[in-house]
């Protein structure tokens, strides 16, 4: 039998090996913990970045970056929490259904290259009441209760070319004809530039924009309709149910519009001018967060409401998620008017309604015209007529506002219309 300490010389070696194994395991465990901590930090950083995208870049979508639209939708909806569901209201019931954008959301810019010679008024003019249009350097404008006036910038001469005691709106000039909506009977009319051969184009029309031989209209029964201005045939493209429709603009073969419920939740649709199903081209917005959208030449202009209730003026190319902020801290959100590289918008500075021009190439901003003693409740709007800009409308007390100024002379050189004539 061996003595207890017979192999005692081996024990120190065993102990040494055990200590080495312990140290190795400890090192491996520490390394694993470091890896786990790093992974946790990366996940937290990614989550924070995505939340920043959601709350800071509110108009950013992963569909812009990921070619696989279902994957992009999952990232947008599931990871950053951007909802793609909306509540739609019909006369019978309220349902919640998924919202998906159609291929029309990605139209090529060539689809919006409209022929200048076939256009009627500026879309922004129409959305602001449609009182002014221009033709071959001559400006024509509506004076409520008087008719349509011709104004020649070269010598500032003027004359009434069509007399009417009614309130006229949606003024477009196409070819040899004036087009307008008579608000006394809500009908669309056309008349020659000499003021003759008046003809009714369509009944039950509240707004009309003319391109080529088609009138794109909102009807009094809350539908989007097209009317052929030659044979007066009519086509109903879309009807709303208790909501408010808003015209945005057109492409070569589509009309774009909004459908807003009484709570200010807005859906954005387009439909082929020849008819068919309406398609969503943009995700819905809620609580009037976006307002007064219009479109000229494939660029959308609209106002984004800020936390303090004021607005930023945004320009966005159709089909792109990138936006440009043209103006900040605007107090009102009346539709803008885009003319080539310039955009015109109104802002209320205390009791002054100011008309501003922004050069979108240089970002230069100029005040073109203003009118005093105006409140947010007054129905006073801006119009653009090429060389001359206008502020037209009526105060709550019934006083009329009708001012104009040439963009070649500045805002201090102002004309006022009254008593059937212009005067300085």
């Amino acid at each position: 039998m061996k003595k207890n300490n017979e192999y005692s010389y081996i024990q120190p070696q065993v102990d040494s090996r055990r200590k080495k194994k312990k140290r190795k395991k400890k090192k491996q465990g520490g390394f694993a913990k470091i890896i786990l901590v790093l992974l946790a930090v990366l996940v937290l950083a990614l989550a924070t970045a995505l939340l920043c995208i959601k709350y800071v870049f509110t108009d950013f979508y992963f569909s812009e970056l990921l070619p696989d639209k279902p994957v992009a939708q999952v990232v947008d909806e599931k990871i950053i929490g951007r909802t793609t569901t909306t509540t739609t209201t019909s006369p019978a019931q309220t349902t919640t259904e998924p919202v998906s954008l159609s291929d029309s959301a990605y139209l090529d810019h060539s689809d919006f290259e409209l022929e200048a010679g076939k256009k009627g008024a500026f879309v922004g003019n129409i959305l602001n009441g449609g009182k002014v249009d221009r033709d071959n350097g001559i400006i024509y404008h509506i004076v409520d209760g008087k008719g349509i006036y011709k104004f020649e910038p070269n010598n500032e001469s003027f004359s009434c070319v069509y007399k009417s005691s009614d309130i006229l709106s949606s003024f477009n000039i196409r070819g040899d004809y004036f087009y307008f909506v008579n608000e006394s009977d809500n009908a669309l009319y056309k008349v020659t530039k000499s003021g003759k051969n008046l003809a009714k184009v369509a009944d039950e029309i509240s707004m009309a924009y003319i391109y080529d031989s088609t009138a794109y209209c909102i009807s009094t029964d809350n539908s989007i309709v097209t009317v052929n201005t030659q044979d007066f045939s009519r086509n109903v493209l879309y009807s709303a149910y208790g909501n408010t429709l808003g015209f945005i603009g057109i492409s070569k073969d589509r009309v774009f519009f909004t459908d807003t419920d009484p709570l200010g939740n807005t859906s954005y649709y387009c439909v082929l001018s020849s008819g068919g199903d309406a398609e969503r081209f943009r995700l819905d917005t809620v609580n009037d967060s976006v307002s007064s959208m219009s479109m000229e030449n494939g660029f959308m202009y609209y106002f984004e409401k800020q936390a303090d209730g004021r607005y930023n003026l945004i320009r966005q190319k159709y089909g792109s998620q990138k936006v440009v902020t043209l103006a900040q801290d605007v107090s009102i959100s009346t539709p803008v008017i885009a003319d080539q590289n310039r955009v015109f918008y109104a802002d209320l500075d205390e009791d002054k309604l100011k008309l501003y021009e922004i050069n979108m190439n240089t970002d230069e901003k100029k005040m073109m015209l203003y009118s005093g003693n105006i409140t947010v409740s007054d129905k006073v709007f801006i119009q653009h007529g090429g060389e001359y800009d206008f502020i037209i409308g009526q105060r709550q007390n019934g006083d009329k506002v009708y001012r104009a100024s040439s963009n070649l002379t500045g805002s201090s050189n102002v004309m006022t219309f009254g008593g059937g004539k212009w005067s300085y």
Side-chain angles (χ1 to χ4, degrees):
M1 192 172 180
K2 296 189 185 335
K3 294 180 182 178
N4 291 336
N5 63 349
E6 187 172 352
Y7 299 110
S8 59
Y9 71 92
I10 299 176
Q11 190 63 38
Q13 298 179 31
V14 173
D15 291 341
S16 177
R17 284 197 297 270
R18 285 177 178 170
K19 287 179 181 178
K20 286 181 180 178
K21 286 182 179 180
K22 245 183 199 184
R23 285 196 297 270
K24 188 176 181 182
K25 286 182 179 179
K26 189 174 181 181
K27 286 181 180 178
Q28 290 175 339
F31 182 72
K33 287 180 181 177
I34 291 172
I35 293 297
L36 289 174
V37 169
L38 288 174
L39 287 173
V41 170
L42 288 173
V43 170
L44 181 61
L46 179 60
T48 303
L50 292 173
L51 286 174
C52 287
I53 288 174
K54 175 182 177 181
Y55 290 106
V56 178
F57 302 102
T58 56
D59 206 22
F60 177 82
Y61 298 95
F62 280 90
S63 56
E64 178 87 356
L65 301 178
L66 301 177
D68 187 344
K69 291 180 186 177
V71 174
Q73 186 175 345
V74 168
V75 175
D76 276 330
E77 296 180 12
K78 303 301 182 183
I79 297 181
I80 69 171
R82 187 190 300 280
T83 179
T84 55
T85 62
T86 186
T87 301
T88 57
T89 304
S90 67
Q93 60 183 356
T94 300
T95 59
T96 301
E97 57 185 20
V99 172
S100 59
L101 303 183
S102 66
D103 289 340
S104 63
Y106 310 97
L107 294 176
D108 189 81
H109 193 68
S110 61
D111 287 342
F112 298 92
E113 294 175 352
L114 304 176
E115 295 183 41
K118 294 182 178 181
K119 289 182 179 180
F122 295 113
V123 172
N125 275 359
I126 297 297
L127 298 182
N128 279 306
K131 301 294 185 180
V132 175
D133 202 1
R134 72 277 178 254
D135 182 63
N136 292 324
I138 299 174
I139 300 170
Y140 296 86
H141 59 95
I142 288 172
V143 179
D144 290 340
K146 297 288 185 181
I148 300 173
Y149 279 74
K150 176 181 180 180
F151 179 83
E152 299 193 42
N154 289 337
N155 53 18
E156 294 191 341
S157 63
F158 58 89
S159 61
C160 183
V161 293
Y162 174 73
K163 292 183 179 180
S164 174
S165 59
D166 297 321
I167 295 176
L168 311 180
S169 59
S170 292
F171 182 46
N172 292 261
I173 301 174
R174 271 291 299 125
D176 296 326
Y177 287 91
F178 297 144
Y179 294 84
F180 57 83
V181 170
N182 189 321
E183 296 188 6
S184 65
D185 62 356
N186 294 117
L188 174 64
Y189 290 89
K190 72 176 184 178
V191 66
T192 61
K193 289 178 182 176
S194 60
K196 299 178 181 179
N197 302 322
L198 180 69
K200 183 185 289 186
V201 178
D203 285 309
E204 299 177 340
I205 300 297
S206 60
M207 185 230 77
Y209 170 76
I210 311 294
Y211 179 75
D212 199 9
S213 59
T214 301
Y216 298 85
C217 308
I218 296 179
S219 68
T220 55
D221 64 356
N222 215 23
S223 297
I224 299 292
V225 301
T226 56
V227 180
N228 186 301
T229 59
Q230 306 301 314
D231 62 18
F232 305 160
S233 59
R234 182 182 186 124
N235 189 16
V236 178
L237 305 180
Y238 179 91
S239 295
Y241 300 100
N243 293 347
T244 301
L245 296 179
F247 180 77
I248 295 176
I250 65 169
S251 67
K252 289 180 178 178
D253 55 6
R254 286 176 170 84
V255 54
F256 298 79
F257 59 95
T258 58
D259 186 335
T260 304
D261 70 20
L263 298 178
N265 303 311
T266 301
S267 298
Y268 301 83
Y269 292 105
C270 64
V271 62
L272 288 170
S273 304
S274 57
D277 294 333
E279 302 174 313
R280 275 185 167 88
F281 69 89
R282 177 185 171 97
L283 291 179
D284 298 357
T285 56
V286 300
N287 301 325
D288 291 320
S289 59
V290 169
S291 59
S292 298
M293 181 177 287
S294 61
M295 180 191 295
E296 285 277 10
N297 301 319
F299 286 89
M300 297 178 290
Y301 302 85
Y302 56 89
F303 289 90
E304 280 188 346
K305 183 179 284 187
Q306 305 303 298
D308 62 357
R310 297 175 78 84
Y311 301 90
N312 286 349
L313 171 57
I314 305 297
R315 179 180 188 248
Q316 182 177 9
K317 186 177 182 179
Y318 189 89
S320 171
Q321 298 301 331
K322 297 177 182 178
V323 301
V324 176
T325 301
L326 298 175
Q328 295 179 310
D329 200 32
V330 182
S331 63
I332 55 176
S333 61
T334 54
V336 306
I337 304 157
D339 180 5
Q340 298 182 56
N341 68 323
R342 296 173 297 161
V343 64
F344 300 83
Y345 75 97
D347 197 5
L348 194 60
D349 182 7
E350 295 182 347
D351 69 339
K352 291 185 176 66
L353 183 73
K354 297 180 177 181
L355 189 161
Y356 289 99
E357 174 199 274
I358 296 176
N359 185 314
M360 291 182 284
N361 292 338
T362 65
D363 293 331
E364 181 185 2
K365 174 180 168 182
K366 296 190 296 183
M367 187 185 72
M368 309 303 293
L369 180 65
Y370 76 89
S371 182
N373 300 317
I374 304 296
T375 71
V376 69
S377 301
D378 294 333
K379 295 182 178 179
V380 181
F381 302 96
I382 63 172
Q383 298 281 282
H384 175 63
E387 182 183 331
Y388 282 75
D389 300 305
F390 296 75
I391 294 178
I392 300 173
Q394 184 171 302
R395 299 183 180 93
Q396 281 186 307
N397 63 8
D399 290 345
K400 292 183 178 180
V401 178
Y402 213 111
R403 294 162 67 82
S405 179
S406 169
N407 55 34
L408 302 178
T409 59
S411 60
S412 61
N413 196 10
V414 177
M415 301 187 306
T416 302
F417 191 91
K421 64 179 182 178
W422 285 104
S423 60
Y424 281 96

